[in-house]
Amino acid sequence: MLIVQKFGGSSVANAERVRNVAAIVADAYRAGNDVVVVVSAQGDTTDDLIAKAAEINPNASKRELDMLMTAGEQMSASLLAMAIKSMGLPSISLLGWQVGVKTDSNYGNARIKSIDTERLTAELSRRNIVILAGFQGVNKYEDITTLGRGGSDTTAVAIAAVLKADLCQIYTDVDGVYTADPRIVKGAQKLSEITYDEMLELATLGAQVLHNRSVEMAKKYHVDLEVCSSLERKPGTKVREVVTMEKLLVRGVARDDNVARVTIIGVADVPGMAYKIFSVLAAAKVNVDIILQSIGRDGSKDIVFTVKADQKEETVAALKRVSILENAIDVQVDDDVTKLSIVGAGMETHPGVASKMFEALFDANINIQMIATSEIKISVLIRKQDSDRAVQAVHDTFFAK
Ligand code: ADP
Ligand code: ASP
Ligand code: MG
């Protein structure tokens, strides 16, 4: 079998953990498998590197930030290769560009366009255990790029897809995907399996256990994906097209604190305004999420939407370029908000899920600012200070035994 194993930051945080990972990899290799390992930077290294950059230049370009951040993965790849070699097994560490991980040029959040398999297959045919630095690639200018925070998961799934691996295991510091973040929510339950679609929603809505693009890619290329613990050897969670479990009304609860609400008050109530506003935001690569528009009154209306909090400066800068907004009375940005979501393929066919969620929030005396729904998810925007209570209350409503 060909297995791709990915180890996250806490799994390689220090020498002891690196040796522990080496032992897991060695077992897979000794069982006769070809093994490609993808690693993240050790512990908080990526955050530390970002802090270092801010000390020197708070407005550093994204290109230079990518150059700096990828150093973290380079360190863990070489350290893990050394650990495996010290066990007497053949191993080689490689960076993204060395195996041709080609991306677009969106520094800081690049997308993988293609991967050359030549070097990888050559190393595997020499029976080498390949240790690849995750989270990074190279663009058409031969500049180093990164895939967005948490992007090593996507490297792993992409490698599994191009090599047609039999299995892609994402090793992390929890033993699988839970009905909510097990570190925050009491009574969170481990799922033995979850569908790609549900996992994609949960990941997109804030469950950082998997990078959302990794799930998107796993679905597209039918990658056999498993989330498991690097600290305990036991079965994890399988992410797949269909699950044998019953269609749960709600499979999980997620929260996202990286949200800001933008309100534009007094937009002219004429055709084309939404187009003009959101096309400028799209050109600035601002990701817009929930959108609400008030009923027009006296020739004007309000437009409210959410963006990622770390894109609020770009958002405001872009809105200043919308000339038609000159006569809009006011633009307000509030990032003291959290998006709380429930996800489940079963809710499509069961009315009443939304009201149950709203009831839980009402009972906890929590005000809802905005609501968005799709076939398999319901999201609400609430005040940040209410978020811990809100997640627990909503989780209790759907999962308390
Ligand atoms: P890694 O460094 O291994 O990539 P991450 O910190 O990115 O690990 O992801 C693992 C973390 O995701 C867990 O420690 C947990 O707190 C968090 N998490 C959030 N939602 C969930 C969930 N539904 N199931 C499991 N873990 C979750
Ligand atoms: N080290 C990177 C980060 O902290 C990538 C990853 O962990 O997947 O975001
Ligand atoms: Mg991660």
Side-chain angles (χ1 to χ4, degrees):
M1 288 218 307
L2 170 56
I3 304 180
V4 175
Q5 299 183 320
K6 179 259 170 178
F7 295 90
S10 49
S11 303
V12 292
N14 53 41
E16 190 196 339
R17 294 274 174 93
V18 171
R19 277 191 217 104
N20 168 60
V21 166
I24 297 174
V25 174
D27 281 354
Y29 180 82
R30 287 191 182 120
N33 300 301
D34 286 333
V35 188
V36 178
V37 180
V38 173
V39 283
S40 299
Q42 293 184 287
D44 297 328
T45 303
T46 309
D47 290 330
D48 295 346
L49 290 171
I50 293 171
K52 264 188 207 302
E55 252 176 45
I56 301 281
N57 177 356
N59 301 313
S61 71
K62 289 186 173 177
R63 181 200 180 275
E64 295 307 333
L65 280 170
D66 278 1
M67 192 67 155
L68 181 67
M69 279 194 285
T70 48
E73 272 68 16
Q74 176 161 356
M75 280 175 64
S76 13
S78 55
L79 290 172
L80 180 58
M82 290 174 199
I84 293 173
K85 283 185 192 172
S86 75
M87 298 171 74
L89 297 178
S91 182
I92 182 168
S93 62
L94 294 167
L95 299 179
W97 66 268
Q98 289 176 290
V99 300
V101 178
K102 306 262 168 57
T103 72
D104 64 20
S105 293
N106 190 12
Y107 296 102
N109 198 22
R111 266 183 191 269
I112 297 178
K113 296 177 100 172
S114 65
I115 297 177
D116 303 335
T117 52
E118 207 173 309
R119 179 77 189 261
L120 283 168
T121 47
E123 298 298 347
L124 290 173
S125 65
R126 287 184 204 115
R127 283 297 284 148
N128 265 324
I129 298 173
V130 178
I131 316 294
L132 177 63
F135 177 54
Q136 54 180 263
V138 59
N139 67 14
K140 64 181 174 196
Y141 308 112
E142 297 187 334
D143 278 348
I144 305 294
T145 54
T146 65
L147 309 181
R149 298 304 305 269
S152 296
D153 299 332
T154 299
T155 306
V157 174
I159 294 289
V162 292
L163 292 179
K164 302 194 171 55
D166 299 282
L167 181 60
C168 180
Q169 297 175 313
I170 307 289
Y171 285 88
T172 183
D173 57 1
V174 287
D175 62 357
V177 179
Y178 280 69
T179 49
D181 188 337
R183 295 186 191 286
I184 297 176
V185 177
K186 283 194 240 52
Q189 293 156 31
K190 184 172 155 185
L191 299 164
S192 58
E193 40 180 19
I194 184 168
T195 64
Y196 291 128
D197 289 332
E198 289 170 322
M199 190 64 236
L200 180 56
E201 287 288 0
L202 282 177
T204 306
L205 295 167
Q208 90 264 31
V209 61
L210 283 176
H211 192 229
N212 64 345
R213 281 194 194 149
S214 73
V215 187
E216 201 172 77
M217 201 171 295
K219 178 177 164 70
K220 187 163 171 196
Y221 297 101
H222 312 287
V223 174
D224 187 342
L225 189 61
E226 183 179 9
V227 177
C228 45
S229 165
S230 61
L231 302 169
E232 292 169 279
R233 302 215 184 177
K234 59 179 180 188
T237 301
K238 283 281 191 183
V239 189
R240 44 171 60 128
E241 190 61 44
V242 277
V243 298
T244 49
M245 287 155 49
E246 62 176 316
K247 253 192 177 185
L248 284 186
L249 278 187
V250 177
R251 188 80 70 198
V253 181
R255 73 186 261 184
D256 187 354
D257 292 327
N258 180 21
V259 179
R261 192 190 63 212
V262 182
T263 311
I264 310 177
I265 297 168
V267 180
D269 191 18
V270 294
M273 297 304 285
Y275 163 65
K276 286 171 187 157
I277 291 170
F278 293 109
S279 58
V280 168
L281 292 173
K285 294 203 161 66
V286 170
N287 246 317
V288 176
D289 185 28
I290 310 174
I291 302 175
L292 287 184
Q293 180 179 293
S294 70
I295 304 283
R297 188 177 295 165
D298 301 330
S300 89
K301 63 192 173 192
D302 304 335
I303 293 183
V304 192
F305 55 90
T306 63
V307 295
K308 288 185 189 300
D310 55 22
Q311 286 198 308
K312 67 182 179 196
E313 280 84 16
E314 278 123 300
T315 305
V316 172
L319 288 175
K320 287 201 176 123
R321 292 199 292 274
V322 187
S323 55
I324 45 147
L325 286 183
E326 274 166 16
N327 55 0
I329 296 166
D330 202 1
V331 175
Q332 296 166 355
V333 181
D334 180 1
D335 61 7
D336 189 24
V337 292
T338 292
K339 187 169 64 173
L340 168 65
S341 310
I342 56 174
V343 171
M347 68 173 72
E348 200 176 354
T349 47
H350 282 81
V353 177
S355 75
K356 208 170 157 186
M357 180 187 193
F358 303 156
E359 184 184 11
L361 293 168
F362 168 60
D363 287 343
N365 195 24
I366 290 164
N367 188 41
I368 301 172
Q369 301 180 0
M370 295 171 88
I371 301 172
T373 65
S374 78
E375 286 94 342
I376 70 165
K377 68 141 202 250
I378 300 167
S379 299
V380 296
L381 202 71
I382 56 175
R383 271 193 314 179
K384 207 165 251 164
Q385 70 190 70
D386 292 333
S387 56
D388 286 346
R389 279 190 317 120
V391 179
Q392 191 68 54
V394 170
H395 188 271
D396 285 348
T397 288
F398 290 103
F399 295 102
K401 285 186 175 154

